[in-house]
DNA sequence: CCGTATCCGATCCGATACTG
DNA sequence: CAGTATCGGATCGGATACGG
């Protein structure tokens, strides 16, 4: 996704921030601590390298996450939520509660662990 | 979008709820009071009838909005947020603040009114 | 280990025409 | 006024291969 040069409404930005398939789960996975690229890759079942990189890049451009990279081999990069990302996390957690509610209502509680943290795994 | 029979994670649902281009703005437009179909259509610049109907239908299937229809001509339908929709609104408002922040940071404050309520209009 | 490039099917969404 | 149906271009995302 190409990020637009100009937005005329905050909710347009919101849409661009969250519309990707993996954005909310990435924000959620980063809630407690820094994660390397491969940490994320292994904890999100079904995501491809390409998509993980791409979505992280977009989240960085919106100032939701940032990263620290070491130079030299093997490469090592840690991603983390910015303060804006932590705000985003609040919204994600509210929406997650809605998701949990929906699952309970539809008899799918067998997929839920204690905290609704069960993305594909 | 076909709503899935089974979700294995709350955040999958979240993604399906919000991924459409017009979902957040619809939730936001319904924040204060009931709106008819044409109220919504006229207050969201750029949306087509088809998309408005489609997104409202999906929001209804997820229990975010509901409607009351009168029978007889002319047709009259009012849409409103359910209690779950009001919860969703909380998340939307948090994300909206992020959008406002982003716009201010990028010198686009001329598009903002007092409350960031300016979706294309 | 981390990131880029390309190909290609699936999905999204705008335009348009039509119905009760 | 509210809702449905269809077509076609644009975008998204999975698979795969390659590079620093």
């Amino acid at each position: 996704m190409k990020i637009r040069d100009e937005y005329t409404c905050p909710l347009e930005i919101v849409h661009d921030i969250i519309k990707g398939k993996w954005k909310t789960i990435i924000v959620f996975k980063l809630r407690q601590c820094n994660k390397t690229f491969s940490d994320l890759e292994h904890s999100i079942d079904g995501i491809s390298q390409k998509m993980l990189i791409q979505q992280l890049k977009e989240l960085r451009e919106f100032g939701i996450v940032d990263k620290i990279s070491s130079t030299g081999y093997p490469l090592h990069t840690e991603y983390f939520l910015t303060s804006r990302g932590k705000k985003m996390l609040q919204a994600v957690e509210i929406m997650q509660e809605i998701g949990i509610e929906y699952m309970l209502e539809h008899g799918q509680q067998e997929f839920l662990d204690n905290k609704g943290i069960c993305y594909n795994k």
Side-chain angles (χ1 to χ4, degrees), chain A:
Chain A
M1 185 184 71
K2 171 87 175 69
I3 293 185
R4 297 161 57 171
D5 292 333
E6 191 176 287
Y7 286 97
T8 60
C9 169
L11 289 177
E12 283 179 337
I13 299 163
V14 167
H15 180 245
D16 278 355
I17 292 177
I18 57 175
K19 72 180 171 189
K21 180 169 177 183
W22 306 97
K23 300 271 181 63
T24 52
I25 177 67
I26 291 170
V27 169
F28 187 70
K29 291 289 183 185
L30 292 174
R31 71 193 176 288
Q32 286 154 335
C33 54
N34 295 12
K35 302 271 184 184
T36 66
F37 182 83
S38 52
D39 285 342
L40 289 169
E41 193 177 5
H42 294 127
S43 72
I44 304 176
D45 197 44
I47 198 169
S48 63
Q49 265 200 352
K50 173 193 155 186
M51 287 311 296
L52 181 52
I53 286 275
Q54 185 185 107
Q55 308 272 296
L56 282 169
K57 186 177 175 186
E58 290 176 16
L59 288 172
R60 280 207 330 132
E61 293 179 309
F62 283 115
I64 303 294
V65 309
D66 203 356
K67 69 174 175 180
I68 312 175
S69 304
S70 67
T71 55
Y73 283 10
L75 292 178
H76 185 84
T77 305
E78 293 194 359
Y79 286 89
F80 55 92
L81 293 181
T82 61
S83 61
R84 186 178 299 168
K86 285 170 188 155
K87 193 162 183 175
M88 189 70 198
L89 177 61
Q90 292 174 33
V92 169
E93 289 182 327
I94 290 173
M95 294 189 291
Q96 182 173 239
E97 287 174 30
I98 293 174
I100 292 172
E101 212 179 296
Y102 183 94
M103 287 179 73
L104 292 175
E105 212 175 87
H106 289 75
Q108 294 170 18
Q109 57 277 7
E110 70 263 28
F111 295 110
L112 294 171
D113 68 8
N114 294 334
K115 295 178 179 170
I117 305 168
C118 58
Y119 202 85
N120 289 337
K121 184 163 267 185

